[in-house]
Amino acid sequence: MTDTDAQPIVTRNDDDRRYEVHVDGVLAGFTVFRIDARGRLHFPHTEIDPAFRGRGLAQAVVGEAMTDAARRGETVVPHCPVVAKYLHEHEVPGLTVEWPDQPHPE
């Protein structure tokens, strides 16, 4: 198996308020969330290390983040263009999305 065949692992890191994607134990990227006073998760930014780009890892980390938020009954507010694009292109059963009038990506 080559490093491009390694399966990504997505985890939620509440201390750093982000979902992380790891490949072979190496942090390859993340999507950040902020929790507002109403408990909604605002997603302002997604980043993949340049060494890992082109492998679909942004889709993997955002997809798992959205699925996990749905499982937890959380509401998502997408500001990041990557998150917004994912939500426009994919149905996430049980996920509540509140679209911002004025997105504020980082």
Side-chain angles (χ1 to χ4, degrees), residues 64-106:
E64 183 54 36
M66 297 303 106
T67 299
D68 187 60
R71 252 191 320 265
R72 294 169 180 259
E74 296 169 322
T75 298
V76 166
V77 183
H79 295 277
C80 170
V82 175
V83 175
K85 181 178 184 213
Y86 184 89
L87 291 172
H88 281 300
E89 295 177 353
H90 299 87
E91 178 70 26
V92 181
L95 182 64
T96 301
V97 179
E98 290 186 13
W99 293 95
D101 291 333
Q102 297 289 324
H104 297 288
E106 288 182 353

Side-chain angles (χ1 to χ4, degrees), residues 34-74:
R34 308 276 187 256
I35 303 171
D36 70 13
R38 294 174 38 203
R40 300 176 303 173
L41 274 63
H42 292 252
F43 283 84
H45 180 71
T46 301
E47 184 174 326
I48 301 298
D49 184 306
F52 291 94
R53 289 191 183 145
R55 300 186 196 183
L57 296 178
Q59 294 284 306
V61 70
V62 169
E64 183 54 36
M66 297 303 106
T67 299
D68 187 60
R71 252 191 320 265
R72 294 169 180 259
E74 296 169 322

Side-chain angles (χ1 to χ4, degrees), residues 10-22 27 29-33 35 61 68 72:
V10 177
T11 57
R12 180 171 166 150
N13 179 338
D14 283 310
D15 291 337
D16 290 333
R17 293 191 182 112
R18 65 188 191 180
Y19 285 86
E20 300 173 340
V21 59
H22 294 83
L27 178 63
F30 53 86
T31 188
V32 176
F33 62 86
I35 303 171
V61 70
D68 187 60
R72 294 169 180 259

